[in-house]
Every structure is written in C-alpha cells, then in structure tokens.
Amino acid sequence: MVWGKGAVAGGFVFLSGAEARADDTDEPVEGIAAQTELALERIKSRLEEAGARLDDVVKFVWYLTDRALEEEFYAARDGWLARNAPRLFEERSYASTLLIVGLAKPDMLVEIDCIGYLSVDSRR
C-alpha cells in the first residue's frame, strides 16, 4: 500500500479512504454495490485493527464518481450497515458528507473515509 491506512490520535481513529480493489489484482471490483460493500468491509477491518468498532464511527465521507450512482450506492450502503452495524444504521448517529469526485483509478466508483472515537467501551 503506497499510503497509510490511518492513524490513532487523541482518542480518535482517522482512516484513509477505503477503496474496493481486489487483493489479488489491485483492480476495482465490478459495480457500485460490490465496491460499496467491499469498501465498508475494509473500514470494519481497519477499525478493528485500531481497537474500534463500527458503533464507534462518528463521521463518514462518501466519495462517488457519478451522481447517477447515488440511489444504488445508498441501497448498498444501507443494506450493509443494517446487517453489520444495526445500531449505527438505525440511529444515524454519525456525521456524513457525500462528494462527487474523480478517484485514483478510472474503474473506482466509490471511496470511503471514516473517523471513529475510541470510547471507554471500545478499549476492552
């Protein structure tokens, strides 16, 4: 990886943009739903590496390459969150920003930044 996955500072976990590229080929997986779910899986893993959980997320920044992808992106995101972080999904207890941008590779459709807070409960 040519960039850092993230950092822990002042009780917060700052994750770099999670992409949806296949581990074996480094190419983006096919479609916005698959890319969204893989990027969120990477967020979950990286939070766990830092000692946090999905319920500790306080901010997401969602980067899409095309506004036309919004509806399918939201469906994939919400479905994944409902299955993997139901409390976070139901409470919508995080800040959130959606940006339409260009990404590092032409086939990348989504990238996700995340900030989590290491609460007392997280530090078990």
Side-chain angles (χ1 to χ4, degrees):
M1 183 176 281
V2 296
W3 62 90
K5 289 190 269 184
V8 176
F12 287 91
V13 178
F14 298 90
L15 297 182
S16 300
E19 74 298 337
R21 297 192 307 239
D23 290 330
D24 56 344
T25 65
D26 199 41
E27 291 301 314
V29 295
E30 183 82 23
I32 186 65
Q35 286 192 25
T36 299
E37 292 198 3
L38 181 53
L40 285 166
E41 285 293 332
R42 291 181 194 274
I43 291 280
K44 181 180 178 191
S45 294
R46 291 173 185 172
L47 284 169
E48 289 170 356
E49 282 180 43
R53 304 174 307 207
L54 287 165
D55 285 344
D56 299 322
V57 170
V58 295
K59 176 139 176 101
F60 283 112
V61 181
W62 320 96
Y63 302 93
L64 294 181
T65 59
D66 187 340
R67 190 170 306 284
L69 299 171
E70 270 186 84
E71 189 173 318
E72 193 176 353
F73 161 74
Y74 284 133
R77 179 202 69 183
D78 289 351
W80 190 93
L81 287 173
R83 290 188 309 276
N84 292 277
R87 187 179 70 78
L88 188 70
F89 172 70
E90 291 166 12
E91 294 177 6
R92 302 284 182 177
S93 57
Y94 55 86
S96 184
T97 302
L98 172 68
L99 299 168
I100 308 301
V101 300
L103 295 174
K105 289 192 174 223
D107 293 343
M108 287 176 61
L109 304 174
V110 64
E111 189 168 335
I112 305 168
D113 284 352
C114 177
I115 300 171
Y117 177 69
L118 291 168
S119 64
V120 173
D121 291 340
S122 297
R123 298 178 188 184
R124 295 185 248 142

